[in-house]
Structures are given as structure tokens and as C-alpha cells.
Amino acid sequence: MLGASGLAMLMSVASIAPAYAADDTDNVSAAEVENALADVSPHLLEEAASASATADAAAVVVTGETAASVPRDPADGVDLNFDGSSLSIGLPALDGTATAVTLDSGAITYPSRNGVANTVVPLSDGVQMLTTVASPDASTSFSYPIEMPIGGSIALAADGSAIVTDAAGDPLVTTGAPWAVDARGVAVPTHYEVAGTTLIQVVDHDAGEFSYPIVADPKFTYWWGGKEWWPASRVNVSLIATAVAGYLGMPGAALIVGSAIALCNQAGRGIWVYWTWAGQVWCTGP
């Protein structure tokens, strides 16, 4: 039979156990984010550019006529200004998210109590927006609502990357192909989806046995390049694939390139071909 002191101790333990479990599962501190990023292969992570700060922005990077602003309040979104255009990209999973903390690396992170933490790496040519998924109970879908010029839209390329364009179809920013890795460096299935002017990264961390935390990203970079419309009458998949593969210095990859072009032309009306001065080439459908 328990005495009064024993009963009080049991009641005390019972009262703190759920809170402790919740902290373990759902609280994501700045230190935990920093440790999670340290385990990610360096080739996936960008280095933060030198930045200043203001009363409202935790980091501001100005390069020539471009400017990226990372907010202190995560609800304000990330602002990109370039070549007379501007975008604002909202952060996902904001419930229970705290104000900005600057990591030693220069990245800006937002601790949270919902099992997911956002981190923004300010770059000279855009931003990398990282999601740290610390809980197996966390969502598998992360939405980035984008405020863009009227008439703008988002399209997905054959490699899974995304292109944000203005009303005339001219690219404003692009992303790389999506990636996600667990704490052991194992790739986690991921892809982008589009809903109106929102880019959604789906991270299927419930599709297997993965080690937490999981880190995923989209990286938004300013568009530096060109584009050209090739109508169906000009789309000779074999010839285009050979030419593009040769341009990339990978003549043996013509079959892969041809498959991508065929996907872009699945509507049979032609394709948009995009390129950057960094040597990237890809296409989208009409």
C-alpha cells in the first residue's frame, strides 16, 4: 500500500511523462536543426552568402540588382526581388513555429513545436529552403505558397524541378530536382506537385523505415538563361536528344534525354526548351 509521499511521487511522474514524450517527438530546437544539417552530404547544402540584418529581416543579401530577404517572423515569407520582378515564398508547417535563429553557418532557422522546422539559406542567386522533419508523425506534404506577378504560374519540368514564370511565360525563378535524405543519408522518396500558385514538396517518409530527422529542400534561384518554343513540326525527338546530349557533353545519354523530351511533348503540340548559362537544359510541355 502506497503512502502519501509515494502516491504523490507517482502522480508527479504521471503528470510529466506525457509532456516529456511530446517534447521528444515534436519540439525541434535550433541546435537539433544544426545537428541534422551537419549530417547531410555537403554537396546537397548551399553555403550562406554574406548577409546583413534589419528590424524585420534576419538576413538580407543584395547582389547587383537582386535582393533576397529572410524574415524574422516566419509568417512573413521570403522575399526575392530581381530584374524588376518580385516574389514572396511562404514557409510550410507554421503552426507552433518560433521566430528566426541565425545558425553559425549563416542559415536562418525557425524552431518549432510541431515536429517540423524550416531553415532558409540566403544565397547570392536566391535561397535554399530546407525542411527538417523530426517526427514520424509529421506531415508528408509541405506547401510553399508563392505570391507572384499577376498571370504568373508554376510548371514542372521533366526532371521533377519547377519553373515559376510570369504572365508572358518568361521564367522568374527555378528549382533543382527535389531531394530528401534521412539521418543516415538514405534517400527518401520525394516529388513536387503544383496547386495553383503553390509549390508542394511531398516527402514520403512513411513509405519505409527511415531514420529521423529527415532533411528536404527546394532551392529557388533566379533565372539566368533563355527559352525557345519548338512546335510539333520541329520536334524530332531523336535529333533533339542527340543535340542536347552533345551540348551537355554526354553523347551516350541521348536515350535518357530523348525520354525526357518525349514526356515534354506528350500533348503533341510542341515543347518549351529552357537553358541557363551554367549549362543546364530542360524542357516542359505546352
Side-chain angles (χ1 to χ4, degrees):
M1 186 172 182
L2 289 171
S5 60
L7 182 60
M9 183 176 294
L10 277 180
M11 291 178 65
S12 174
V13 171
S15 66
I16 66 173
Y20 179 79
D23 284 348
D24 263 2
T25 303
D26 298 326
N27 282 7
V28 189
S29 68
E32 288 170 322
V33 170
E34 198 159 35
N35 290 337
L37 299 183
D39 290 334
V40 177
S41 176
H43 81 273
L44 294 175
L45 299 180
E46 300 293 330
E47 290 187 13
S50 178
S52 58
T54 68
D56 296 324
V60 177
V61 176
V62 178
T63 306
E65 296 182 359
T66 70
S69 178
V70 184
R72 296 188 185 278
D73 183 345
D76 289 342
V78 175
D79 292 330
L80 299 179
N81 295 277
F82 51 95
D83 194 27
S85 297
S86 62
L87 298 176
S88 182
I89 305 171
L91 294 167
L94 289 180
D95 290 344
T97 300
T99 55
V101 175
T102 302
L103 303 180
D104 290 341
S105 65
I108 310 301
T109 195
Y110 304 91
S112 82
R113 300 189 304 274
N114 64 16
V116 176
N118 290 290
T119 302
V120 181
V121 183
L123 309 172
S124 60
D125 61 349
V127 289
Q128 184 173 34
M129 303 174 76
L130 300 161
T131 303
T132 300
V133 182
S135 168
D137 296 324
S139 173
T140 58
S141 181
F142 304 97
S143 297
Y144 296 85
I146 303 177
E147 295 181 11
M148 61 184 71
I150 295 174
S153 62
I154 308 172
L156 298 182
D159 67 351
S161 62
I163 310 167
V164 180
T165 62
D166 63 15
D170 293 321
L172 299 174
V173 297
T174 64
T175 74
W179 59 261
V181 293
D182 77 356
R184 296 173 298 177
V186 176
V188 180
T190 185
H191 65 277
Y192 290 143
E193 296 178 354
V194 176
T197 57
T198 296
L199 180 67
I200 302 166
Q201 183 166 11
V202 176
V203 182
D204 291 319
H205 60 91
D206 57 357
E209 295 296 325
F210 297 107
S211 297
Y212 294 82
I214 289 166
V215 177
D217 96 314
K219 182 178 72 172
F220 294 89
T221 54
Y222 308 127
W223 168 256
W224 307 117
K227 69 168 189 174
E228 184 176 356
W229 169 251
W230 288 354
S233 60
R234 288 182 55 190
V235 178
N236 182 311
V237 171
S238 177
L239 289 178
I240 294 173
T242 301
V244 171
Y247 171 80
L248 296 175
M250 301 183 300
L255 181 61
I256 297 174
V257 175
S259 298
I261 292 173
L263 283 174
C264 292
N265 193 39
Q266 58 186 323
R269 299 200 303 270
I271 60 175
W272 281 108
V273 178
Y274 302 85
W275 65 89
T276 71
W277 307 125
Q280 299 167 303
V281 179
W282 67 93
C283 62
T284 63

